[in-house]
Amino acid sequence: MIRSVMVINTQGKPRLAKFYDVQPPEKQQDLIRNIYAVLSSRAENVSNFMDAEPFFGPDTRLVYKHFATLYFVFVFDSSENELAMLDLIQVFVETLDKCFRDVCELDIVFNHSKMHTILDEIVFGGLVLETSSTEVMKVVEEISKLETASNSISLVPKSVSSWRS
């Protein structure tokens, strides 16, 4: 099971933090700070896999990918495959790239709800739902169409005369 998904910038600010097990907000912030401290001090030529037991308890692993100014982090237990989690990060990033045309940190900051929607199509409740970036994009595009349609529907009658009968 996936325990957490985080996107943290290179200055330690969380841009997305989703915990699939209940954690008080103070504990979440502490976990993010501690994980960032470890990631930012790691050399570029080391493995992207590491033990997460000091942060999340026994039987937890962490995998991350560093793209430009962002760390994409997945924390999971032994029921998940490490390479599959690394691939899932790639699917997440590819989908964001398709959605925002070469995603950058500002896209994430200003489109927070869309980013959560994309993540929820890939992982929900700590379980992997979809591993195809193309399939996720189909759903995201459909949601966007529905949002556009619902925003264009007017709930106010065009004329007051239609109120009189």
Side-chain angles (χ1 to χ4, degrees):
M1 180 175 159
I2 296 173
R3 305 277 304 272
S4 178
V5 174
M6 295 173 240
V7 178
I8 307 168
N9 74 7
T10 52
Q11 295 163 345
K13 294 182 180 168
R15 296 304 184 195
L16 171 94
K18 194 138 195 176
F19 291 85
Y20 296 104
D21 53 355
V22 178
Q23 302 279 352
E26 301 81 25
K27 172 89 169 155
Q28 290 179 9
Q29 292 302 316
D30 192 43
L31 288 168
I32 292 167
R33 270 192 300 277
N34 290 334
I35 288 172
Y36 169 73
V38 170
L39 295 182
S40 63
S41 66
R42 287 174 65 94
E44 289 291 322
N45 61 348
V46 297
S47 169
N48 290 12
F49 305 101
M50 57 183 273
D51 198 18
E53 285 187 19
F55 312 113
F56 284 86
D59 194 34
T60 54
R61 302 280 296 158
L62 178 148
V63 64
Y64 70 97
K65 254 335 237 184
H66 185 197
F67 292 101
T69 63
L70 298 169
Y71 291 100
F72 289 81
V73 181
F74 278 48
V75 179
F76 52 94
D77 62 25
S78 63
S79 68
E80 301 291 345
N81 180 292
E82 291 175 340
L83 292 175
M85 292 296 102
L86 190 61
D87 189 50
L88 205 56
I89 291 175
Q90 189 65 35
V91 168
F92 186 40
V93 172
E94 280 178 16
T95 307
L96 291 172
D97 271 345
K98 287 178 184 177
C99 194
F100 298 115
R101 316 271 189 275
D102 295 326
V103 68
C104 69
E105 188 173 351
L106 287 177
D107 292 323
I108 291 169
V109 170
F110 292 117
N111 296 289
H112 206 263
S113 64
K114 190 172 253 186
M115 188 169 168
H116 274 277
T117 300
I118 291 168
L119 180 59
D120 287 346
E121 289 300 319
I122 297 170
V123 177
F124 194 77
L127 301 174
V128 178
L129 295 180
E130 184 59 64
T131 59
S132 167
S133 146
T134 305
E135 292 301 315
V136 173
M137 277 307 296
K138 286 179 187 175
V139 173
V140 170
E141 288 168 357
E142 188 63 33
I143 290 171
S144 293
K145 286 178 189 174
L146 291 171
E147 286 174 347
T148 303
S150 71
N151 289 338
S152 66
I153 296 173
S154 175
L155 298 177
V156 179
K158 297 205 186 293
S159 71
V160 177
S161 63
S162 65
W163 290 6
R164 298 180 199 154
S165 335

